[in-house]
């Protein structure tokens, strides 16, 4: 029953990402700590496992025999169940303070999006009117939750400014000394990144609950798309991939784009799937990396004409949701959404760049990492195209592979990959699981064994 192996493999990859993310956070807080190589290798291994899990069409895998001994599959599912309990712990512990300086604004994506939503409620344009210093003072946070830039007072900083350096410059700018060149101050994402938060902000809700709700809904949709007898295994695997729950609860706005992207990927055979794709594209730029792979999949299943029509619909959704800000000040809007490309960002991340920023290797020029990212992107597109019929779900993971080589390869780019992989597996024609065979193989879930009926 190869289906159980596929699903378990994704959960194991998610567990590897969970531990890699924890070590990554520790090293960023304490740069002298070891383990950089372990983080990079763990992420690379997780991506490799996910790609292997998506190879093939999956047809009939629910009843296909598994080569080798069954004890390994039994042990793997036992581990997955254990990691699922870890995810439960994160979800249950979400309402509590996790430290003395705990704040719901874990990073500048969450903080700036919240302030942008507040400005929208006041009838103002966040791309022109947002003041990062006023915003952060209102939220009770400081420079440690910003994105610094390699200019101004930080122009000569080789790797990344220290907390003391950022605090000093931040205090100077707050007190009116100098002009802010050092901190990203405007929303750096498309408009839906904050427009979708307007209702929650208007009600005074913690937007982190919105992100967690998006994750839970995405999980529910993946389970619903899966074959009925495999649903307990899918749900256990979604929780066993502990990176999903842990880093969403830990603070991530990425679920705003991930939810519509999951819907678009799973239902790309439907004409309306272009609408959630457009919503994802209008929420965060990382969704743009998935677009060509989604188009390849649509071409394979429904032809060039359908792909062209759906691409136009998705582009229309993107344009329509951003139109008010384009009309008001197109230059400010473009500067906002191109911030990750146009502004001089510091090298940062958990991918290959981690070996250079925290692993002791000499930092190369930006162009070297950009070239590696571009080459990886071309290779991934070629692979997706050549394997579009034999492995149509590979694009759900291949889309993110180039970012592993980027100048900025933040861990947030990778922790959702198990969700996308399971969305791909859920739409495979796996068939229905035979109860007796699954029991003998030792397929375990924390919910229930597959039904006899």
């Amino acid at each position: 029953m190869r289906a159980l192996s596929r699903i378990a493999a994704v959960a194991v990859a998610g567990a590897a990402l969970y531990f890699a993310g924890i070590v990554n956070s520790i090293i960023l807080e304490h740069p002298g700590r070891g383990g950089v190589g372990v983080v990079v290798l763990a992420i690379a291994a997780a991506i490799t496992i996910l790609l292997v899990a998506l190879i093939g069409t999956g047809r009939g895998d629910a009843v296909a025999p598994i080569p080798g001994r069954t004890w390994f599959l039994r042990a793997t599912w036992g581990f997955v169940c254990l990691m699922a309990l870890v995810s439960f712990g994160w979800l249950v512990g979400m309402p509590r303070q996790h430290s003395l300086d705990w704040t719901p604004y874990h990073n500048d994506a969450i903080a700036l999006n919240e302030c942008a939503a507040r400005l929208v409620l006041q009838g103002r344009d966040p791309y022109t009117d947002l003041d990062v210093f006023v915003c952060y003072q209102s939220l009770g946070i400081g420079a440690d939750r910003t994105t610094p830039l390699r200019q101004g007072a930080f122009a000569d900083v080789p790797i990344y400014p220290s907390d003391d350096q950022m605090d000093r410059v931040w205090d100077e700018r707050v007190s009116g000394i100098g002009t802010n060149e050092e901190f990203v101050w405007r929303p750096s994402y498309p408009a839906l990144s904050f427009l979708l938060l307007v209702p929650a902000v208007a009600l005074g809700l913690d937007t982190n609950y919105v992100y967690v709700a998006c994750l839970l809904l995405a999980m529910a949709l993946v389970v619903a798309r899966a074959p009925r007898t495999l649903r307990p295994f899918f749900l256990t695997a979604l929780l066993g991939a502990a990176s999903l729950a842990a880093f969403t609860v830990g603070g991530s706005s990425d679920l705003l784009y991930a939810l519509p992207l999951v819907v678009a990927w799973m239902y790309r055979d439907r004409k309306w799937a272009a609408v959630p794709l457009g919503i994802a594209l209008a929420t965060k730029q990382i969704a743009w990396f998935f677009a060509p792979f989604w188009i390849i999949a649509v071409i394979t299943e429904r032809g060039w004409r359908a792909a062209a029509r759906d691409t136009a619909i998705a582009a229309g959704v993107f344009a329509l949701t951003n139109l008010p800000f384009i009309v008001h000040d197109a230059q400010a809007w473009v500067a906002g959404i191109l911030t990750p490309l146009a502004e001089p960002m510091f090298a940062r991340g958990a991918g290959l760049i981690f070996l250079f920023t925290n692993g002791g290797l000499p930092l190369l020029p930006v162009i070297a990492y950009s070239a590696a990212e571009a080459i990886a992107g071309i290779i991934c597109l070629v692979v997706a195209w050549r394997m579009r019929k034999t492995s149509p779900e590979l694009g759900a993971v291949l889309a993110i592979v180039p970012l592993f080589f980027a100048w900025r390869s933040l861990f947030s780019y990778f922790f959702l990959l198990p969700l996308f992989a399971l969305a791909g597996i859920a739409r495979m024609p796996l068939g229905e699981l035979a109860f007796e065979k699954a029991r003998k193989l030792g397929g375990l879930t924390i919910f229930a064994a597959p039904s006899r009926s």
Side-chain angles (χ1 to χ4, degrees):
M1 297 179 182
R2 288 196 297 264
L4 295 182
S5 296
R6 288 185 189 273
I7 300 167
V10 174
V12 170
L17 288 171
Y18 170 72
F19 291 113
I22 290 176
V23 177
N24 174 250
S25 299
I26 293 172
I27 295 173
L28 291 178
E29 289 291 327
H30 308 281
R33 300 286 180 90
V36 172
V38 173
V39 172
V40 177
L41 287 175
I43 294 175
I47 292 173
T48 302
I49 292 171
L50 293 171
L51 290 173
V52 171
L54 291 174
I55 290 177
T57 63
R59 184 171 298 280
D61 275 6
V63 294
I66 299 174
R69 299 183 181 274
T70 60
W71 67 265
F72 183 74
L73 182 64
R74 189 185 300 269
T76 301
W77 274 104
F79 172 73
V80 172
C81 289
L82 177 63
M83 294 306 299
L85 298 177
V86 172
S87 289
F88 271 126
W90 278 94
L91 292 170
V92 171
M94 181 181 176
R96 305 172 188 168
Q97 282 192 195
H98 298 288
S99 62
L100 292 176
D101 65 343
W102 183 88
T103 170
Y105 310 105
H106 308 284
N107 51 58
D108 61 341
I110 295 175
L112 291 180
N113 284 346
E114 170 122 353
C115 289
R118 292 181 181 181
L119 288 174
V120 170
L121 288 170
Q122 299 170 14
R124 300 167 64 188
D125 184 348
Y127 292 107
T128 58
D129 295 352
L130 198 150
D131 185 319
V132 67
F133 303 108
V134 172
C135 169
Y136 274 40
Q137 286 177 330
S138 70
L139 301 178
I141 55 178
D144 61 319
R145 302 180 195 276
T146 61
T147 297
L149 300 173
R150 292 184 300 132
Q151 58 187 15
F154 300 148
D156 297 325
V157 175
I159 300 295
Y160 201 84
S162 66
D163 287 346
D164 289 341
Q165 287 175 309
M166 289 199 292
D167 287 341
R168 176 179 56 78
V169 176
W170 180 269
D171 291 341
E172 289 178 356
R173 300 297 175 262
V174 169
S175 60
I177 301 175
T179 303
N180 176 36
E181 298 180 74
E182 296 83 7
F183 302 100
V184 172
W185 64 268
R186 59 162 59 91
S188 54
Y189 306 118
L192 285 187
S193 64
F194 51 84
L195 289 180
L196 292 173
L197 300 177
V198 168
V201 172
L203 294 173
L205 302 178
D206 180 351
T207 54
N208 286 282
Y209 286 96
V210 175
Y211 305 135
V212 173
C214 287
L215 173 65
L216 296 178
L217 180 54
M219 287 181 169
L221 292 173
V222 171
V223 172
R225 187 71 168 80
R228 179 180 57 82
T229 50
L230 283 169
R231 287 172 185 169
F233 294 97
F234 271 87
L235 185 51
T236 301
L238 284 163
L239 292 169
S243 64
L244 300 178
F247 295 103
T248 300
V249 172
S252 175
S253 62
D254 292 81
L255 276 302
L256 280 184
Y257 89 82
L259 172 58
L261 185 61
V262 164
V263 175
W265 189 269
M266 289 196 301
Y267 294 97
R268 62 179 183 264
D269 55 327
R270 315 291 176 84
K271 292 182 179 180
W272 53 261
V275 175
L277 176 65
I279 292 173
L281 298 177
T283 302
K284 203 161 188 179
Q285 293 93 326
I286 194 170
W288 300 358
F289 288 85
F290 289 87
F293 297 91
W294 187 87
I295 293 170
I296 288 173
V298 173
I299 290 172
T300 305
E301 295 182 13
R302 294 193 283 128
W304 287 90
R305 182 173 297 179
R309 182 184 62 246
D310 289 359
T311 301
I313 293 172
V317 172
F318 177 90
L320 185 63
T321 53
N322 284 274
L323 187 61
F325 306 100
I326 298 173
V327 171
H328 179 257
D329 193 325
Q331 185 176 0
W333 176 80
V334 170
I337 66 170
L338 293 185
T339 292
L341 292 176
E343 297 288 359
M345 299 278 188
F346 282 97
R348 194 74 162 172
L352 191 65
I353 194 69
F354 204 31
L355 296 174
F356 298 86
T357 57
N358 293 77
L361 296 181
L363 193 64
L364 303 177
V366 178
I367 188 64
Y369 304 96
S370 299
E373 181 183 3
I375 293 171
I378 294 171
I379 292 173
C380 288
L381 284 171
V382 171
V383 170
W385 179 257
R386 291 177 65 88
M387 300 182 71
R388 65 189 184 278
K389 295 182 180 179
T390 57
S391 299
E393 307 304 327
L394 272 179
V397 173
L398 282 175
I400 296 300
V401 170
L403 292 174
F404 180 79
F405 302 93
W407 175 260
R408 287 182 66 83
S409 57
L410 305 182
F411 182 76
S412 61
Y413 299 163
F414 308 109
F415 83 95
L416 288 172
L417 282 177
L419 176 65
F420 303 139
L422 285 170
I425 295 175
R427 73 185 310 278
M428 288 180 174
L430 301 171
E432 296 294 342
L433 194 65
F435 170 75
E436 288 298 331
K437 288 185 178 180
R439 183 178 60 81
K440 291 178 181 179
L441 285 172
L444 302 175
T445 78
I446 59 173
F447 303 98
S451 170
R452 288 180 181 270
S453 59

